[in-house]
Amino acid sequence: MAAARIVAALKPFDRIRSLGGRRVVREGGWVASGQAVAVVARVAGLRVITDRVSPEVFGEVVLLLGLATLGTNMFCLPLLSALVRFFPDAARGRRVAELRQLLRRLLAPRTLAVTTLLALGGALYAQLGGTETSAWAFVSVALLLVLDVMRLFESTFLNAARRQRTFSLWYAADAASRPAVAVAAIVVFGPTSVSLLLGYALAVAVTNFAFRGARVRAGSDEAEASPEWVAQTRLAMFRYAGPLMPLAMLGWIISLSDRYVLAGLTSPEQTGIYAAAYGLASAPFIMLGQFLSLTLRPVYFDAVVQNDRRRERRTLLAWIAALAAALTAGMGLVIAFAGPIVRVVLGEAYWSAADLLPWIAAAYGIQAVQQLFEHVIQALHSTRRLLVVHSLGAVAAVGLFFLLIPRHGARGAAMAVVGSMLTSCMASILLSGALPRLFAREPLHVA
């Protein structure tokens, strides 16, 4: 009986099509197209950028972008995650305009604080001789952070409203323009970290301007302003997003702190090669996870809000089946063709990265599974359980980084990421409580 259910679950395309008819298929097609264009653009960008900048410069840029990612993930993305969760309620109550104004008021001071700390703190640290990185590099990455938050604000509204066509076009345009403009900046100003970062910032500014008319607007039948609704929603969003803020730090430790440990224990050159391999191997699996998440998360959350248990279960079954099939195929390709992939995609100075690709691909395949079960936890407002998930992963990461990197260098860093992500993934599956209930046809609620 159980075997029959598992076999029935492994029909991803039929199941996805059945979740909402043509609309879900159409939305999934747009998301997949946008993700595919983005991956191709990033891979092509890696080729042209690694041909023009040294591993040392590339490693420096990656470390700076990691700092910006930490600030954005801690103070901005938790609120944007809350937006996706609370948008269906706001749309049904005809309060999209109030939700937009509320989120803008919450994001603006946090973005300003992170930007100021990154730009002024980094520049001062550089001037005092704490790093060889240019003070202008810190200013450039702070500018990029502001533009990225502006993009994320509008694009998250588009995804929450299931306007996947516009969302995907914006996403693809952003991914394609960054390496193109960055290479132009390198040609004009030289192969420095400042040139690369300013190129990225200019690309984001251009695409933000191009899509300025694409935002989700309030309908003509919006409900009258309600300070009570705003106050209640603000409190609910903080309760939802609050646990996600420390989660951002823990997630950063798991997925980004490895390059800082590697830079401190080895060399900038090794860090640059590792970062290039990381970007190359993780991109397809990040695309896969985002495609399924962006397509099915709004459907799943909507089913939860409507208390539609049948659609909720069917969505998760389709998600699991599609993910299992794609991960199996993807890992097989990476293992078989790691060497040729590196020689085609990266500059010659980075070809030693081939040994790292299977490890990094495995780590991000595991992460895609983890994200699925995290959404089960998030949908029922149980975000505090995610603290346990990411805490276990972060503890494993720190221990494995200092155990494996001194012995194996960049390969040790990649192995450590696999171990830490496997730890947090197993925790997410257990704490979601969804898997045994899913096949036993019991309620999916987290206790």
Side-chain angles (χ1 to χ4, degrees):
M1 197 69 177
R5 290 173 184 166
I6 294 173
V7 171
L10 296 177
K11 297 179 180 178
F13 298 106
D14 288 341
R15 286 186 173 274
I16 289 175
R17 185 164 53 248
S18 69
L19 294 176
R22 295 179 179 178
R23 181 180 180 184
V24 173
V25 174
R26 184 172 62 251
E27 289 173 357
W30 277 110
V31 172
S33 299
Q35 294 287 327
V37 170
V39 168
V40 170
R42 287 169 183 158
V43 169
L46 268 176
R47 175 71 204 196
V48 294
I49 289 172
T50 55
D51 270 339
R52 287 166 173 78
V53 301
S54 66
E56 291 86 352
V57 169
F58 191 77
E60 181 179 306
V61 169
V62 168
L63 294 176
L64 287 168
L65 290 174
L67 295 176
T69 299
L70 175 61
T72 304
N73 288 1
M74 283 192 66
F75 298 104
C76 301
L77 286 189
L79 291 170
L80 294 172
S81 295
L83 162 63
V84 177
R85 178 62 185 86
F86 287 95
F87 183 88
D89 298 314
R92 285 187 175 82
R94 296 177 293 129
R95 298 193 179 279
V96 172
E98 287 181 279
L99 183 64
R100 169 180 285 276
Q101 293 172 2
L102 171 61
L103 192 62
R104 184 183 288 117
R105 289 197 300 269
L106 295 176
L107 278 177
R110 288 161 178 79
T111 303
L112 178 61
V114 173
T115 303
T116 302
L117 179 62
L118 183 57
L120 297 184
L124 179 62
Y125 186 61
Q127 289 294 328
L128 294 176
T131 177
E132 296 181 1
T133 302
S134 166
W136 287 108
F138 287 98
V139 175
S140 300
V141 78
L143 173 63
L144 176 59
L145 186 154
V146 172
L147 294 166
D148 256 336
V149 171
M150 293 170 63
R151 175 183 63 84
L152 288 168
F153 176 79
E154 297 295 348
S155 63
T156 304
F157 262 104
L158 290 169
N159 177 243
R162 298 180 65 178
R163 289 177 52 185
Q164 307 294 21
R165 175 181 177 179
T166 306
F167 172 87
S168 299
L169 289 172
W170 193 343
Y171 185 85
D174 176 78
S177 63
R178 290 196 193 211
V181 179
V183 169
I186 290 170
V187 171
V188 174
F189 301 110
T192 66
S193 58
V194 176
S195 300
L196 197 53
L197 290 166
L198 285 177
Y200 286 157
L202 178 59
V204 178
V206 169
T207 53
N208 285 1
F209 181 78
F211 284 86
R212 66 192 183 281
R215 73 179 192 177
V216 175
R217 301 179 185 276
S220 57
D221 61 342
E222 281 283 292
E224 293 183 6
S226 170
E228 294 81 7
W229 182 89
V230 172
Q232 292 173 0
T233 303
R234 177 190 176 98
L235 180 60
M237 289 182 76
F238 273 125
R239 285 176 176 169
Y240 182 91
L244 300 180
M245 294 180 182
L247 281 177
M249 170 63 81
L250 297 171
W252 185 87
I253 291 172
I254 295 170
S255 61
L256 288 175
S257 66
D258 51 352
R259 57 207 66 187
Y260 296 89
V261 178
L262 185 63
L265 295 178
T266 59
S267 66
E269 180 182 6
Q270 282 289 305
T271 305
I273 293 171
Y274 176 75
Y278 207 103
L280 174 59
S282 65
F285 295 91
I286 291 174
M287 182 203 78
L288 171 64
Q290 288 182 341
F291 159 61
L292 291 172
S293 178
L294 293 170
T295 303
L296 297 177
R297 182 177 59 176
V299 179
Y300 177 68
F301 281 0
D302 190 60
V304 173
V305 169
Q306 295 190 48
N307 204 32
D308 188 340
R309 298 286 172 258
R310 184 169 178 267
R311 187 157 65 108
E312 185 181 346
R313 176 175 282 101
R314 290 167 63 198
T315 303
L316 283 179
L317 284 170
W319 204 333
I320 292 170
L323 190 57
L327 289 180
T328 300
M331 280 305 304
L333 290 172
V334 171
I335 292 170
F337 299 105
I341 289 171
V342 165
R343 287 192 290 275
V344 169
V345 175
L346 300 180
E348 186 174 354
Y350 298 78
W351 284 359
S352 61
D355 291 341
L356 307 177
L357 260 62
W359 292 100
I360 297 169
Y364 276 84
I366 293 168
Q367 187 190 63
V369 176
Q370 176 180 329
Q371 288 172 345
L372 187 161
F373 290 96
E374 285 185 353
H375 290 318
V376 176
I377 297 172
Q378 290 172 356
L380 299 172
H381 297 238
S382 301
T383 48
R384 285 183 175 82
R385 293 195 177 199
L386 297 180
L387 284 173
V388 178
V389 171
H390 287 262
S391 294
L392 291 171
V395 170
V398 172
L400 290 171
F401 289 156
F402 286 99
L403 176 66
L404 297 175
I405 290 176
R407 298 181 181 181
H408 304 288
R411 187 174 185 180
M415 294 166 62
V417 173
V418 173
S420 62
M421 288 192 175
L422 184 60
T423 301
S424 56
C425 180
M426 294 302 297
S428 72
I429 293 172
L430 292 173
L431 291 176
S432 73
L435 204 55
R437 295 183 178 91
L438 192 63
F439 295 107
R441 298 187 180 276
E442 296 175 5
L444 291 173
H445 284 304
V446 177

